[in-house]
Every structure is written in structure tokens, then in C-alpha cells.
Amino acid sequence: MIAAYILNPERTRYGLKDLALEFLGRKSKTYEELIGGKNSGPLLEIPENELAEYATADSQNTFDLYKIFEKELEAKKQTELFEKIEMPLVEVLADMELAGVKIEARRLKKISEELAEKLKALEKDIFCLAGEKFNINSPQQLGKILFEKLKMPALRRTKTGSSTGADVLEKLASEFEIAAKILEYRTYSKIKSTYTDALPEMIDPKTHRVHTSFNQTVAATGRLSSSAPNLQNIPARTELGQKIREAFIAEKNSKLIAFDYSQIELRILAHFSEDKKLIEAFKGDLDIHAVTASQIFKVPLEAVTSQQRRAAKTINFGIIYGMGALSLAESLKISRTEAQEYINKYFENYHDVREFLNSILEGAKEKGYVETLYGRRRYFPEIAGPASRFRSFAERAAINAPLQGTAADIIKLAMVRVRGQTPLSRRTEVSVPKMILQVHDELVFEVPEEEVSVVSKSITKIMEEIVELKVPLKVSCGFGNSWAEAG
DNA sequence: CACTAGTGCAA
DNA sequence: TATTGCACTAGTG
């Protein structure tokens, strides 16, 4: 499974099982029927006389695949990634899933009740402004009210009608009270349905904790993903979000410690591009967004305003995503011309970044793939094709993949290193800090409170020294009784 | 029940 | 026409 993922991390075009079959040269039916396709239930439901057959087929197929993948991995220089990162990570993830995270259900339920009241009041206001009752959660019904009945201007279309997305409603909010109310309604409704209502339901009655799945073979860039429940998208930015995170707590006499790679993708950009100015900024441990702002706006570092810094921050992130002038203009609420000027100034200053991005695209067109620091590949067959829409999309993803993917490589390696090479049999003899969550550039641990200081130092060191780049890696950490305090 | 569309949360 | 994910609700078949 993991070898198949490394050899072809695209999830959108075809499933891993089909890919495995392709390598195996067997018909889908045989494999699906024997080791379980869509209709495969729990092992116990398989008739006893067939169990041996299933087990044999599964083992045989796995072994056959291994022999094929071994050569394939070697040919594509993926052996180190496979053996040093992804395979050892399997156990780390298993431990994390089994450990789970403690959640204070009562706290979430209380928030839920408060939200229910706010929603009720907002619903009343919205119906009053609309002049009728309807389902606010239905974009279709809402669109009819806003854009047909109330004749508000439709600013964006979807496949099926007029968009009621937050970006549209924000533009209408100052003129139309109902738009502002709906935005507020959506915020609360989202938090209530996805977090305060759903999470308490997911608490395992046996462990009294929530056990997510960390999916290792899903993301095309090499990142992990999390599901059932997704613990990688717990609110963080708003005050209400912090309240949700206050419900993620440590056991009695323990604390949560959160370790966060600071600006890891921009540091990787600095490393790959070897841009002198970017490297200097990170070597000096400067505020990278402020530095970028001072360069773009040609003001001294100390004179950068918060607005300028915010704009520079958007540009810095935009670069990582291959953003164009139009979307920069949109998110900064400035003209396209002005946005283009910012981008031009950015590249005038970070000259080597432009060269690097161009070289990524050249390489992708020539070889058909891009690579991370550890050689993880992502293929872009459409990048040399004629369809400009697909090509542009591929170009942006090709710029992003080495940066996002290298960050994934690095944190995965750090996770393996933290876990150490302890054999399973010695697991209970050795004190290993309990890793409970990974959120792309962040690791969360639960440790006895007397160990907080020691563990903070040792894990920060491991994470910062896991690889030596042309710029230092910086890790910030915090601890507390809840994820809100630690983060 | 399976699936899609729209929407919105995270890094 | 800014990357990568997952989940919720509505709506369709």
C-alpha cells in the first residue's frame, strides 16, 4: 500500500488498489474477491472455511507486490523514503491513533447550547428580513431569497446558480443587513454541527478519548490527512475557535505540549532557491513578513505598518501556492494592476525565487514530475499538454508540491526520530513522550507535568536538527492543560 | 443508501 | 485564476 503510494501519490485519478493490481498483472476480480472489495465486511463475517483462502491470497499478493515494488522503488530512487521515513512512520501513527486525545464533552455541549440560542435569534432576524421562512442551510433556497426575491446583486455564479459563499456575502454585508446576519449564522452553524455536536459523539466509550485515523496514503504531496474525525481542521483563528480548543485537554497530572515549525515552507523555499535575501532574513531570525514588506514597499524594517505586513504575508503565502495577480488583488482588496506591481516588486527583490520557480516548471515539463528534498515525486503529465486551464492548474500544484511535500518529509522524519528505534517488545520499558496529534507543521504531545521541561527541550532539538538546510529550522513550543493553552 | 454540489474549517 | 485535505447539509436518484 505504502509502496504503491510512494510510486504514485495521485489519489484523484485512480485508487491504490487498482494501481496495485496493475503492478500485479492480475484481474481486479480475483484480488477484490479474495482480499475484500466494497462488500468486504469484518473478518468474523467471513465463513470459517474460507478464512484460510483469504489469508493465503492476501499474503501471497502482498509478497508478490513487494518483489515488484522493491525493484520499482530502487529504480526511481525511492528506497530511502520508503524505508527510512514511510515504513517506520506506520508504527508511530498506529501509536498515535491508539493513544487518542482527551476531550471534555461537557464543555463542548455547553458551547453547543449557547450557539443554539444565538442561531435561534439569528434565524428569527433573517426570516424577518427575508419576509418568509426558509432553510438557511440550503444554498439553493438562500440564493432564491437573496438574488430573486430581494434582488441583491449576484456577484459570482456556481454550476447550479448564484453563489452565496462568504466572499460574496462579505461584499454585500455593509449594504444588506441580511447578508451580515447570514455570515454570522453560517459561522455558528458550522462550529456547532462540525465540532461542538459531532466531537462528543466520537468519544470512544472504552478509552473516553477520541481516536482519529491518520491516513498515510491519501495526500498527493506526501502530507498526512486525518479523518473520522478530522482533527487537523479544529478551529484555531477566532475566539470561538479557541473555546473549541479549550476542550482538547490533558489527563490529570499531565500537560499538552504543542511544537510548531515556524514558517517551514518559506524556509524550504529559501533552501531550494538559495535566495540570498531570503536566507539572510531567516539566518537573522527576522520577521519574514515584515522583511518582505520593507522590501516591497521600500521602507525601513522598523517603519513597516501592520497593513503592509499583512499584504506581504499574503504575498509570501501566495508565492508558495503559485498565486496570480487576480487572486492577490481579490484577497487584498486592491486593483489587479496594483497587485501585479507588488508581485513584480517581490520578484525584483527575491530574484532567485523567481529563478527557482521557473526551474521547477522547466523540470516538470522535461521530466514530467517534481521532487521533494527526499526525492518524493509527484507526476504532472498534463503540464506539457495543450489544455491551458489544466496546464495552469498543474503549474501551480507543481510549484507547491516540492515545498509542501518537503515540509511533510521533514516532520515525518522528526516523528520517526522522536519515536526512536525502540522495538515493539521493549515499548513499555522505555519512556517515550506520548505523541497524540500531527497537524502538518505541528506535533502535539501529552506528558506528565514533571516531564514538560525536559521533553520540550529534547523534542525541539530533534525537530530543529532533523535536517540541516541552508537556513535554520525554528520550532516554537507551548504547553498547558488544553490545546488552546499549548498552541 | 450512494452520490454530488456548495460551503467552510485547518495548515 | 492560491496548495493540500475532510465534513457538514441539501438535494437527487
Side-chain angles (χ1 to χ4, degrees):
Chain A
M1 188 84 124
I2 289 175
Y5 170 65
I6 289 176
L7 290 169
N8 199 321
E10 295 302 310
R11 147 192 95 88
T12 44
R13 283 201 287 277
Y14 36 80
L16 286 175
K17 197 165 271 180
D18 289 336
L19 182 66
L21 289 163
E22 214 177 286
F23 276 102
L24 211 48
R26 289 190 191 149
K27 286 280 176 259
S28 180
K29 257 196 166 164
T30 317
Y31 192 82
E32 295 274 35
E33 277 176 5
L34 287 179
I35 73 161
K38 274 187 179 171
N39 299 321
S40 72
L43 213 57
L44 290 173
E45 285 177 15
I46 298 172
E48 206 169 316
N49 57 353
E50 290 176 25
L51 267 177
E53 195 189 341
Y54 279 79
T56 309
D58 198 5
S59 309
Q60 187 63 50
N61 286 336
T62 304
F63 186 58
D64 291 348
L65 281 170
Y66 173 73
K67 285 183 288 189
I68 297 163
F69 285 151
E70 192 184 25
K71 293 195 190 89
E72 196 73 25
L73 288 168
E74 192 59 48
K76 293 181 175 170
K77 308 278 180 230
Q78 307 289 298
T79 306
E80 192 188 351
L81 181 64
F82 179 72
E83 289 181 356
K84 293 287 195 307
I85 300 183
E86 298 294 349
M87 287 309 289
L89 185 67
V90 173
E91 267 190 39
V92 179
L93 297 179
D95 283 348
M96 291 170 76
E97 292 184 5
L98 285 170
V101 53
K102 190 175 184 186
I103 286 176
E104 200 180 348
R106 281 218 325 270
R107 189 183 278 263
L108 290 180
K109 284 178 179 161
K110 196 178 155 217
I111 298 171
S112 193
E113 285 163 19
E114 289 164 11
L115 291 177
E117 284 189 26
K118 291 192 190 227
L119 286 169
K120 214 168 124 191
L122 283 166
E123 186 188 69
K124 188 168 157 271
D125 294 348
I126 290 165
F127 290 163
C128 189
L129 289 163
E132 66 179 289
K133 291 189 176 182
F134 64 101
N135 187 342
I136 305 170
N137 291 316
S138 162
Q140 192 188 91
Q141 293 183 36
L142 180 62
K144 273 192 186 135
I145 297 283
L146 297 184
F147 307 116
E148 290 176 28
K149 182 170 181 184
L150 300 177
K151 303 261 188 290
M152 289 164 59
L155 302 178
R156 189 161 56 82
R157 283 193 58 79
T158 65
K159 286 176 195 168
T160 55
S162 302
S163 172
T164 68
D167 52 335
V168 172
L169 295 183
E170 269 160 30
K171 291 194 179 80
L172 298 167
S174 56
E175 196 181 341
F176 303 93
E177 197 187 352
I178 192 170
K181 295 280 184 192
I182 288 160
L183 280 168
E184 204 181 344
Y185 181 94
R186 284 245 177 96
T187 303
Y188 295 142
S189 174
K190 173 77 178 180
I191 299 288
K192 184 171 184 293
S193 64
T194 309
Y195 304 104
T196 62
D197 287 345
L199 282 174
E201 298 296 314
M202 306 289 292
I203 294 173
D204 187 308
K206 288 193 283 290
T207 63
H208 307 290
R209 293 166 74 98
V210 170
H211 303 266
T212 183
S213 293
F214 285 106
N215 313 303
Q216 200 176 351
T217 57
V218 169
T221 54
R223 272 189 175 187
L224 298 177
S225 78
S226 158
S227 59
N230 180 0
L231 295 185
Q232 290 181 324
N233 74 340
I234 303 302
R237 294 166 193 183
T238 64
E239 214 172 289
L240 183 57
Q242 286 306 305
K243 285 191 158 83
I244 305 297
R245 289 196 171 210
E246 282 171 17
F248 287 70
I249 56 175
E251 290 289 352
K252 195 166 164 19
N253 300 324
S254 287
K255 299 279 180 198
L256 296 185
I257 318 180
F259 300 85
D260 209 301
Y261 275 115
S262 162
Q263 314 293 358
I264 188 165
E265 289 182 4
L266 285 174
R267 285 171 196 263
I268 291 163
L269 177 64
H271 174 81
F272 279 144
S273 69
E274 301 185 46
D275 186 278
K276 207 162 168 291
K277 286 186 178 170
L278 211 46
I279 288 175
E280 282 315 305
F282 281 124
K283 278 192 171 168
D285 195 23
L286 300 177
D287 176 341
I288 190 63
H289 301 315
V291 170
T292 300
S294 93
Q295 302 283 358
I296 289 176
F297 299 109
K298 307 235 187 299
V299 296
L301 192 55
E302 315 79 55
V304 170
T305 67
S306 62
Q307 295 230 348
Q308 288 172 329
R309 185 183 180 280
R310 203 166 44 80
K313 186 175 175 181
T314 304
I315 295 169
N316 276 334
F317 278 105
I319 296 296
I320 290 170
Y321 302 145
M323 181 170 62
L326 211 61
S327 37
L328 180 63
E330 177 74 15
S331 56
L332 289 180
K333 298 184 170 70
I334 57 178
S335 74
R336 183 183 178 158
T337 323
E338 217 175 340
Q340 188 58 55
E341 276 175 30
Y342 288 3
I343 292 174
N344 292 345
K345 293 230 176 82
Y346 178 95
F347 284 125
E348 276 169 32
N349 182 56
Y350 298 121
H351 195 262
D352 297 325
V353 171
R354 171 162 29 205
E355 298 300 311
F356 167 68
L357 299 183
N358 286 337
S359 71
I360 287 275
L361 295 181
E362 263 178 48
K365 271 164 199 154
E366 190 195 313
K367 294 179 291 186
Y369 62 86
V370 297
E371 276 180 319
T372 67
L373 187 64
Y374 292 94
R376 185 194 302 276
R377 292 184 190 178
R378 184 175 176 188
Y379 288 86
F380 291 100
E382 66 280 34
I383 205 162
S388 75
R389 198 170 152 237
F390 291 112
R391 198 178 60 235
S392 300
F393 193 84
E395 285 176 355
R396 293 194 298 274
I399 284 171
N400 177 259
L403 304 172
Q404 193 183 111
T406 298
D409 293 347
I410 289 173
I411 197 168
K412 281 177 167 178
L413 201 52
M415 292 165 77
V416 169
R417 182 69 59 83
V418 167
R419 185 67 192 77
Q421 289 88 17
T422 323
L424 266 173
S425 57
R426 288 194 55 215
R427 196 69 64 76
T428 50
E429 300 167 32
V430 187
S431 168
V432 176
K434 192 158 77 181
M435 195 184 297
I436 59 174
L437 292 172
Q438 190 254 41
V439 192
H440 311 306
D441 64 359
E442 175 185 10
L443 293 177
V444 181
F445 294 79
E446 185 175 9
V447 302
E449 49 194 350
E450 64 271 19
E451 290 178 23
V452 166
S453 171
V454 169
V455 169
S456 293
K457 285 184 193 118
S458 66
I459 290 178
T460 298
K461 188 170 156 66
I462 290 173
M463 288 174 72
E464 287 183 343
E465 294 178 0
I466 194 68
V467 58
E468 189 164 348
L469 302 182
K470 295 189 171 71
V471 294
L473 285 176
K474 188 181 169 187
V475 169
S476 55
C477 86
F479 69 95
N481 291 316
S482 73
W483 197 3
E485 283 178 44

